[in-house]
Amino acid sequence: MAENFDTVAFYAALNAQRAQRGLTWKDVASQAGLHASTLTRIGQGKNPDVNGLAALLIWSGLKAESFMPETSKQSIGSIAQISTIIRRDRSLSSNNAKLMETIVTSAYTSLQDKGISSK
């Protein structure tokens, strides 16, 4: 996980969500599908692992980018956005998603490099 992730702010936001819902940290861990020790480590300022972070973001409805400094935010490129959509499409098998991603990336790169325009 990036060193720029504000774990302290993330934990505070999680705590606010927890308190608003009237839950214990053990309840949060159970509902998010995590071990309670994961929440203890985050509370100690340690970054969560990717799966733990994803589970907590889903549980809380928070957005990861809210805990990243403005200076580290970069515009997401078109291919990255398209790849994300393709990989999340459950109607495609993993192999077909990889193939689609390769096709789109190849076409995009080819058209970009040659300066082909639709005009």
Side-chain angles (χ1 to χ4, degrees):
M1 176 157 307
E3 292 179 14
N4 293 327
F5 187 77
D6 190 344
T7 305
V8 173
F10 181 61
Y11 187 79
L14 287 175
N15 189 41
Q17 287 279 0
R18 179 198 63 76
Q20 182 180 13
R21 297 179 190 186
L23 302 173
T24 66
W25 282 111
K26 188 174 180 178
D27 295 333
V28 172
S30 177
Q31 289 181 10
L34 301 169
H35 293 284
S37 61
T38 299
L39 295 168
T40 300
R41 284 192 303 276
I42 296 170
Q44 294 169 343
K46 296 178 182 157
N47 284 338
D49 64 33
V50 173
N51 292 331
L53 176 62
L56 289 168
L57 291 171
I58 291 167
W59 175 83
S60 66
L62 298 168
K63 303 292 181 201
E65 59 267 18
S66 300
F67 306 98
M68 303 292 288
E70 291 294 325
T71 56
S72 71
K73 290 183 183 176
Q74 298 176 351
S75 174
I76 299 174
S78 300
I79 291 298
Q81 292 178 43
I82 292 167
S83 292
T84 301
I85 292 167
I86 290 170
R87 295 296 181 133
R88 293 185 71 200
D89 186 340
R90 296 297 171 220
S91 68
L92 294 172
S93 69
S94 178
N95 286 338
N96 286 344
K98 288 177 189 176
L99 179 59
M100 177 70 78
E101 185 177 10
T102 300
I103 291 168
V104 171
T105 301
S106 177
Y108 182 88
T109 302
S110 177
L111 293 172
Q112 187 181 41
D113 289 344
K114 293 181 180 179
I116 298 172
S117 173
S118 61
K119 292 181 183 178

